[in-house]
């Protein structure tokens, strides 16, 4: 299982310095959506330059222009770009095609999708590489978490890898690990920890 | 009716020089989603600096973190930020709250929404300022256009203003004008025209 660190609200320099501290426990560095909106693809380029041995994910949450937008991420050095499951299937096909053309991967973020088995089947039919179970930040505020959706997704996915995100921390990691997702995404639990290194280490060890 | 120019695939300098030529016919300058992904909020800041008398829209297509992400656009000088109708209603409420706090407007992009009357009612219930009918670029490639969705939206919207986007040009503008949207969004018809000034002028005159 890979550990993906989501960087959302830090500015570029703070995020680079922060990541330096915890990098040994991180497999995938996520340039989060607010980060992309703030800095554009500069965030992806600089992280790939400072951490050439890490994979970088650009959390674009593409909703249209799938090929064009995904190609921006891959041109900038990302190994993964996200597209929303809520987008038109044509858009997701475009992002998947861009990923295949660049030898990279498209991640379909299933945020707000209610009929998961139906959409998982549609996504696998178009060759989506990774499907991400995702309870958004706004939904977490009212107490939702992604564990049940992860159970459903693992039950119906046949070919795609599965990632999971939504308020996961060292306190809750074991129940997610038990369901064997390929990628666990952690943001604020590490980013806002009193001791980020200890938190990243504890989560990484739970994944091994 | 206002004319909104969508700038998607040009780099910042090209987009600024291009907009100079057609600015007299444009009410709202849209920093399109690919442009935001490429340049971040720098695109919004520079356009507001060069065109202080124009309104700027940041086409963020927010899917999570509604308050935070919309506030980035308003801090950078945008008068409008977009959030997806496909997002969690909590996310859209966050974007609307940010808009109200900054004295700006949230635009709900209805891209991929199938039950428009239901979602329009939900969006008006939370005080969304503007609802945008939108046939995406990928859907336009297979011949779809937004005219029927605009008819449905105008039929059910009671309080929100209506914007429309999706391959509109001087050739098709009259049928959209007949349905009286408050904002007409044009991108490639002006951006890729042989004579962009003539195309912008023709569309603007149709709106008067």
């Amino acid at each position: 299982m890979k550990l993906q660190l989501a960087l959302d609200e830090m500015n570029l320099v703070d995020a680079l310095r922060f990541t330096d501290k915890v990098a040994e426990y991180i497999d995938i560095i996520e340039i989060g959506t607010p980060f992309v909106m703030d800095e554009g693809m500069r965030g992806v380029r600089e992280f790939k330059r400072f951490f050439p041995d890490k994979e970088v994910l650009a959390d674009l949450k593409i909703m249209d222009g799938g090929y064009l937008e995904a190609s921006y991420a891959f041109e900038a050095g990302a190994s993964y770009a996200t597209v929303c499951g809520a987008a038109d299937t044509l858009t997701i096909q475009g992002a998947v095609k861009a990923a295949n053309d660049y030898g990279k991967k498209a991640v379909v973020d299933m945020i707000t999708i209610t009929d998961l088995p139906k959409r998982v089947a549609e996504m696998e039919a178009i060759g989506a590489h990774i499907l991400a179970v995702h309870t958004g930040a706004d939904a977490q505020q009212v107490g939702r978490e992604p564990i049940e959706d992860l159970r459903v997704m693992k039950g119906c996915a046949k070919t795609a890898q599965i990632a999971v995100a939504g308020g996961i921390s060292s306190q809750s990691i074991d129940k997610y690990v038990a369901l064997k997702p390929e990628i666990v995404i952690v943001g604020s639990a590490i980013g806002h920890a009193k001791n980020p290194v200890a938190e990243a280490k504890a989560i990484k060890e739970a994944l091994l």
Side-chain angles (χ1 to χ4, degrees), chain A residues 85-197:
Chain A
D88 194 309
T89 300
L90 293 166
T91 296
I92 303 168
Q93 285 179 297
V96 170
K97 183 174 191 316
N100 288 333
D101 286 355
Y102 283 87
K104 307 297 183 183
K105 288 179 180 170
V107 179
V108 181
D109 184 333
M110 303 296 268
I111 189 167
T112 77
I113 298 296
T114 47
D115 188 346
L116 285 171
K118 175 168 178 281
R119 200 60 174 150
V120 166
E122 291 166 350
M123 295 298 95
E124 293 193 326
I126 62 169
H129 308 91
I130 300 170
L131 307 179
V133 183
H134 186 189
T135 301
D138 293 320
Q140 288 173 47
Q141 296 295 321
V142 293
R144 294 185 219 150
E145 57 172 20
I147 190 73
E148 283 311 315
D149 284 348
L150 176 59
R151 203 182 310 276
V152 172
M153 290 263 284
K154 286 296 292 189
C156 61
K158 293 180 179 68
T159 57
Q161 292 194 319
I162 302 297
V164 59
I168 301 169
S169 72
S170 62
Q171 299 303 303
S172 59
I173 187 66
D174 288 346
K175 67 182 177 186
Y176 292 97
V177 168
L179 293 170
K180 299 191 170 71
E182 278 77 13
I183 300 167
V184 172
I185 304 167
V186 179
S188 58
I190 296 174
H192 295 164
K194 280 190 184 165
N195 186 336
V197 175

Side-chain angles (χ1 to χ4, degrees), chain A residues 58-104:
Chain A
D59 189 17
L60 304 183
K61 291 195 180 70
I62 294 170
M63 281 295 291
D64 191 20
Y67 192 95
L68 175 75
E69 295 183 2
S71 69
Y72 281 12
F74 301 134
E75 289 281 349
S79 297
Y80 309 88
T82 66
V83 55
C84 288
D88 194 309
T89 300
L90 293 166
T91 296
I92 303 168
Q93 285 179 297
V96 170
K97 183 174 191 316
N100 288 333
D101 286 355
Y102 283 87
K104 307 297 183 183

Side-chain angles (χ1 to χ4, degrees), chain A residues 11 27 30 42 48 67 84 98 101 122 181:
Chain A
N11 74 37
D27 302 290
E30 173 189 326
R42 184 169 170 235
K48 194 63 194 175
Y67 192 95
C84 288
D101 286 355
E122 291 166 350

